[in-house]
C-alpha cells in the first residue's frame, strides 16, 4: 500500500467548523440543478416549465452525449428554468409535490458487464461525478480512462470528509461501486492514513495520504499516483460519489439523500445535515447571522459565490457562509499586529500558531503588484517539478507552448488557489490557470 | 482616531476617483490612504479569502532589517570623523549626532528625489506606488561615502529608479537591482567622489568638526590598504599595520561606505530576513561559500611576486568591504536574483567568486561586490533558463514513467 506523507501545503485555519451528527432536514419545497457547475457541459432539456417529473426521471442531458442524463431527485413539477447571460441555464428548479414517492425503479446491474455498468452510470445520473485530468471536464460517454482515481480524502478548508460522508451502511455500496469501476479501468483508491476505509477497496490499488491541504485533493493525487500519459485521460471522483454509484447499480429508487456541511462564521450553528439532493441553500444553512454575507458553494478556496436564494451544489458537499465586510487596520502594514495570523512569518502569530479558528473576511488586504518571487509558492506546491512563478508568467504572456512545457496541464486548481491565498503581490493564480486552460482548449 | 482618518479619506476620495477633478493624481491618493489604512477592497475572483501579508509589509520588513546597519552607520560615520581629527576615543553621544548630521541629508535627498521620479512614473503610467522604492531609497545612501555631494545622491537615485527599474515596468520587472544601478552610475560617473582614500570620513569637513584632519591620516579603507602593498607583501600585516584588528573589521569600526562597514549589523539583518522568510538563505549561504572558496584558491596561488591581495585569507574577505551588506540586502533582491531554488545557489556562489576575483585580480577596483552582484543580476535569467529546462525535462520524464 503506497503511502504519501506530504509536508508542503497549508490548512487555512478559518472559523466555522461544523460538528455533531448530521441533522435530518424536512423535505424542501423546491430542489434545483445548476448545469453551469459541470465544466464543459452543454445541457439539453428533457422537460419544459410546468411538466411533471417523477423521481429518477431525466431532467436534461449532455448535448454532446445524450446518454449522459441528469435525473430529478424528487417527484414534482418543473417550476422554473432560470437563465443567465447569453441565455445559459443557471438553475432548473423543480417544485416538490410528493417528497416520499419512490418514482422510477431501477433494476440491479450485472457487475461483470462493463457496458451495462457504463450505461447505468450514465443513464442513472452518476456520470458527472467523474472528471478528467487534465481538463477537469465530464468524460465523454464512450471514452476509456487510463486509470480512475477514487479519493476518500478531503483536506479543503472546512470541507466535510469521509468520516461524515461515508456512514457504516455506505461501505457495502462503496465496495460495490469500486468493483464496478474496476471494469471501466484500473482503479486507484486514495484514503487518509490509518483509515478503516482501506478495507472497502476490494481489488483497487489503495494509497494512503496524509499532510496539509492539498494532500486530499484528487487532482493532486492523480499527479502523484497516475498522471495521464500522452493524449490519454485519467478520471477522478470522490469516494462518497462512488457510494451513490454503488446504490444505483444495486437498483431501486434513485438515491436522493446527501450529507451536506453548513460551515463558516456566517452560519449561526455550523452543522451537518442530511438533505435532499439540490436543496435550497437556506434550508441547509438554517439560520445565518449578519447582514452582509457571501454564500459559497464549496470551500473558500475554490468554491463559487452564489445568491442566497439558490440551491446547493450536487457534488461539493459544503455551503460556506462568509461575513462579507472588511475592516481596515490603522498602519497595518508596519505594526506587529499581534492579533493576526498569516502564513508568512511576518506576524507574531505566524510563529505561535493561529491559536484557534480565525474569523476571516474576504478582504484582499493589499494592492495588486507584479510577482516578487520570494519563493513562497513552492511552500504550497505538492505536484512535483512545477515552478509556479514561471508557469504563470508564461500564461500572462499568452505563451501557450511555454505554459504547457512548464506544466499548465498538470497544475491543479487547489494548488493555484493556495498560491492566490498566500501571494503577497495579490496575483490571482487560480484565475490565470483558468485563462491558461481556456487558451489551451481554444487552440486544441 | 482610525475612524477620523477613515472619514477624511472617504471625504476626499470622490475627488480622485474616476471622473473626479484630481483623477490624474489617484496613485498619490491611493498611496497616502494605504499608508494609513490597510485596503478594504474585497475579493471578486479567485480564492475568497486571502492572507494578510502584502507588498507593503514585505518591504517595510526589509527596512526593519536595515535598522542595525543604519544605526551603526550613524555611529561609525561620526566615529571615523573624530578619528581623522585625532580624537582617540570619541564617545557614543558625540559620534551619533555627528553621523546623523552627515547621513540624514543624504537619506532625505535620496527619498525626495527618488520619490518624485517614482511618483511621476506612477501618475503617467497609472499604476499604484511600488513600495519597493522605500527599500531602494534606503539601500542607496547606505552604499555611499558620507561626504558625497547631495546633488550626486539625487542624480544617482533618479537614474537608479528610472533606468534601473521603471523603464522595465516597475518592481518585479527589473533586471538589475535599482539601488546598485544607482551606485554604479555614481561610481563610474563621479569616481573622485566615491573612490580613493579621502572620501570615507567627514573629518574636518562638517559643522560638528573638532578640528582639521591630523597630519599623516590617509583615510584609506582596509581593502585599499591591503591592496596597496608591494608585490609579495602580506595583506593581513598591511591591515594590522594600518591599525585594524579582525574585530574592528567585523564590527565595522573602519572607514568605508556608510552602511556597509559592519558585517555584524548585516548579519543581524540577515537573521531577521531569513527568519521572516523574505530573503533567500540559499543566496546568502552560497555567496559566502563562493567567497570563501575563491579566496582559498587564490591564497594557494599566492607567491613572492603576486599582488598583496592574493594573500588575504578567506575570513578577512568575509568581513571587509561591502560583501556582507551586499550578500544580505542586494544579492537577495528577489526581483533581480535568480528565482529557482537551484538557480539561487548557482547565482549566489558566483557572486562570491566574482567578488573575490574583482578585489584581487583587478588592480583598478579594490572592492568588487557591487560589480559582482550587477554582473550576476544580468546572468540570473540565463541561470534560471537552464534550471527551468532541467525541471521541465524531469517532470516530463516522471509523467512518462508513471502508472
Amino acid at each position: 500500500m503506497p503511502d504519501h506523507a506530504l509536508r508542503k501545503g497549508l490548512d487555512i485555519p478559518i472559523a466555522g467548523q461544523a460538528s455533531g451528527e448530521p441533522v435530518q432536514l424536512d423535505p424542501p419545497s423546491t430542489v434545483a440543478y445548476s448545469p453551469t457547475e459541470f465544466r464543459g457541459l452543454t445541457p439539453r432539456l428533457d422537460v419544459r416549465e410546468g411538466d411533471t417529473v417523477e423521481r429518477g426521471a431525466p431532467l436534461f442531458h449532455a448535448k454532446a452525449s445524450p446518454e449522459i442524463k441528469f435525473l430529478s431527485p424528487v417527484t414534482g413539477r418543473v417550476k422554473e428554468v432560470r437563465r443567465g447571460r447569453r441565455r445559459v441555464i443557471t438553475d432548473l428548479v423543480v417544485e416538490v409535490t410528493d417528497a416520499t414517492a419512490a418514482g422510477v425503479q431501477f433494476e440491479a446491474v450485472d457487475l461483470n458487464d462493463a457496458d451495462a455498468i457504463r450505461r447505468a452510470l450514465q443513464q442513472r445520473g452518476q456520470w458527472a461525478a467523474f472528471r478528467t485530468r487534465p481538463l477537469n471536464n465530464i468524460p465523454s460517454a464512450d471514452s476509456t480512462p487510463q486509470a480512475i482515481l477514487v479519493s476518500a480524502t478531503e483536506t479543503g478548508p472546512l470541507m466535510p470528509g469521509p468520516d461524515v460522508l461515508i456512514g457504516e451502511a455506505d461501505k457495502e455500496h462503496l465496495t460495490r461501486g469500486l468493483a464496478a469501476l474496476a471494469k471501466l479501468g484500473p482503479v486507484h483508491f486514495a484514503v487518509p492514513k490509518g483509515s478503516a476505509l482501506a478495507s472497502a477497496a476490494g481489488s483497487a490499488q489503495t494509497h494512503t495520504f496524509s499532510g496539509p491541504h492539498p494532500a486530499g485533493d484528487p487532482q493532486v493525487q492523480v499527479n502523484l499516483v497516475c498522471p495521464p500519459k500522452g493524449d490519454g485521460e485519467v478520471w477522478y471522483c470522490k469516494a462518497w460519489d462512488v457510494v451513490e454509484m454503488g446504490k444505483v447499480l444495486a437498483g431501486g429508487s434513485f438515491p436522493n439523500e446527501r450529507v451536506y456541511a453548513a460551515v463558516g462564521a456566517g452560519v449561526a450553528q455550523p452543522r451537518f445535515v442530511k438533505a435532499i439532493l439540490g436543496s435550497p441553500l437556506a434550508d441547509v444553512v438554517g439560520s445565518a447571522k449578519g447582514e452582509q454575507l457571501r454564500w459559497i458553494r464549496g470551500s473558500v478556496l475554490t468554491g463559487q459565490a452564489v445568491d442566497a436564494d439558490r440551491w446547493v451544489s450536487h457534488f461539493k458537499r459544503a455551503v460556506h457562509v462568509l461575513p462579507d465586510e472588511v475592516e481596515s487596520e490603522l498602519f497595518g502594514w508596519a505594526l506587529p499586529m499581534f492579533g493576526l495570523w498569516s502564513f508568512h512569518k511576518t506576524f507574531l502569530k505566524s510563529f505561535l500558531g493561529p491559536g484557534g479558528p480565525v474569523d476571516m473576511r474576504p478582504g484582499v488586504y493589499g494592492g495588486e503588484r507584479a510577482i516578487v518571487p520570494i519563493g513562497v509558492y513552492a511552500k504550497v506546491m505538492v505536484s512535483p517539478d512545477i515552478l509556479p512563478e514561471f508557469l504563470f508568467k508564461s500564461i500572462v504572456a499568452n505563451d501557450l507552448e511555454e505554459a504547457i512545457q512548464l506544466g499548465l496541464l498538470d497544475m491543479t486548481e487547489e494548488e493555484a488557489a493556495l498560491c492566490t491565498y498566500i501571494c503577497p503581490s495579490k496575483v490571482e493564480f487560480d484565475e490565470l490557470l483558468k485563462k491558461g486552460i481556456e487558451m489551451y482548449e481554444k487552440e486544441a | 482616531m482610525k475612524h477620523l482618518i477613515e472619514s477624511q479619506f472617504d471625504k476626499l476620495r470622490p475627488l480622485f476617483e474616476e471622473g473626479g477633478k484630481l483623477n490624474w493624481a489617484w496613485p498619490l491618493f491611493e498611496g497616502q490612504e494605504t499608508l494609513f489604512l490597510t485596503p478594504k477592497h474585497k475579493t471578486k475572483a479567485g480564492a475568497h479569502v486571502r492572507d494578510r501579508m502584502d507588498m507593503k509589509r514585505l518591504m517595510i520588513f526589509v527596512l526593519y532589517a536595515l535598522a542595525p546597519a543604519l544605526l551603526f552607520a550613524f555611529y561609525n560615520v561620526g566615529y571615523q570623523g573624530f578619528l581623522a581629527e585625532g580624537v582617540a576615543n570619541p564617545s557614543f553621544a558625540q559620534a551619533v549626532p555627528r553621523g546623523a548630521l552627515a547621513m540624514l541629508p543624504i537619506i532625505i535627498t535620496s527619498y525626495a528625489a527618488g520619490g518624485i521620479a517614482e511618483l511621476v512614473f506612477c501618475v503617467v503610467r497609472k499604476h499604484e506606488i511600488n513600495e519597493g522604492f522605500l527599500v531602494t531609497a534606503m539601500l542607496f545612501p547606505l552604499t555611499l561615502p558620507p561626504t558625497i555631494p547631495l546633488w550626486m545622491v539625487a542624480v544617482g537615485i533618479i537614474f537608479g529608479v528610472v533606468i534601473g527599474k521603471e523603464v522595465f515596468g516597475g518592481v518585479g520587472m527589473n533586471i538589475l537591482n535599482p539601488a546598485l544601478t544607482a551606485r554604479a552610475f555614481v561610481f563610474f560617473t563621479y569616481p573622485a567622489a566615491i573612490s580613493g582614500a579621502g572620501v570615507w570620513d567627514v573629518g574636518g569637513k562638517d559643522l560638528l568638526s573638532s578640528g582639521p584632519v591630523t597630519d599623516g591620516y590617509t583615510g584609506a579603507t582596509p581593502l585599499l590598504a591591503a591592496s596597496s602593498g608591494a608585490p609579495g607583501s602580506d595583506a593581513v600585516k598591511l591591515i594590522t599595520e594600518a591599525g585594524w584588528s579582525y574585530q574592528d573589521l567585523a564590527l565595522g569600526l573602519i572607514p568605508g561606505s556608510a552602511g556597509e562597514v559592519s558585517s555584524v549589523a548585516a548579519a543581524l539583518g540577515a537573521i531577521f530576513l531569513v527568519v521572516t522568510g523574505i530573503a533567500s538563505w540559499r543566496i546568502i549561504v552560497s555567496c559566502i561559500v563562493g567567497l570563501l572558496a575563491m579566496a582559498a584558491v587564490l591564497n594557494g596561488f599566492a607567491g613572492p611576486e603576486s599582488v598583496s591581495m592574493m594573500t588575504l585569507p578567506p575570513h578577512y574577505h568575509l568581513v571587509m568591504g561591502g560583501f556582507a551588506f551586499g550578500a544580505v540586502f542586494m544579492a537577495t533582491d528577489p526581483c533581480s536574483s535568480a528565482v529557482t531554488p537551484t538557480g539561487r545557489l548557482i547565482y549566489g556562489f558566483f557572486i562570491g567568486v566574482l567578488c573575490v576575483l574583482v578585489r584581487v585580480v583587478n588592480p583598478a577596483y579594490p572592492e568588487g561586490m557591487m560589480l559582482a552582484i550587477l554582473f550576476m543580476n544580468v546572468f540570473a535569467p540565463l541561470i534560471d533558463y537552464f534550471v527551468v529546462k532541467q525541471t521541465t525535462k524531469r517532470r516530463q520524464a516522471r509523467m512518462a514513467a508513471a502508472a
Side-chain angles (χ1 to χ4, degrees), chain B residues 3-17:
Chain B
H3 291 286
L4 191 75
I5 294 173
E6 217 168 353
S7 65
Q8 287 301 317
F9 277 113
D10 285 343
K11 224 185 284 171
L12 285 170
R13 184 173 293 107
L15 266 178
F16 293 91
E17 268 174 345

Side-chain angles (χ1 to χ4, degrees), chain B residues 59-134:
Chain B
M59 293 301 176
I60 196 77
F61 269 61
V62 182
L63 285 190
Y64 292 158
L66 277 169
L70 177 67
L71 295 177
F72 191 83
F74 284 180
Y75 174 63
N76 189 52
V77 167
Y79 181 86
Q80 295 300 330
F82 283 115
L83 224 56
E85 291 154 5
V87 182
N89 266 318
S91 73
F92 191 74
Q94 275 177 307
V96 170
R98 192 166 177 195
L101 184 76
M103 285 308 295
L104 283 177
I106 298 177
I107 294 171
I108 292 169
T109 306
S110 170
Y111 271 100
I116 290 168
E118 177 81 24
L119 254 180
V120 167
F121 263 86
C122 290
V123 169
V124 171
R125 306 204 44 188
K126 304 203 187 319
H127 64 65
E128 293 178 5
I129 295 169
N130 286 160
E131 34 285 284
F133 165 71
L134 297 176

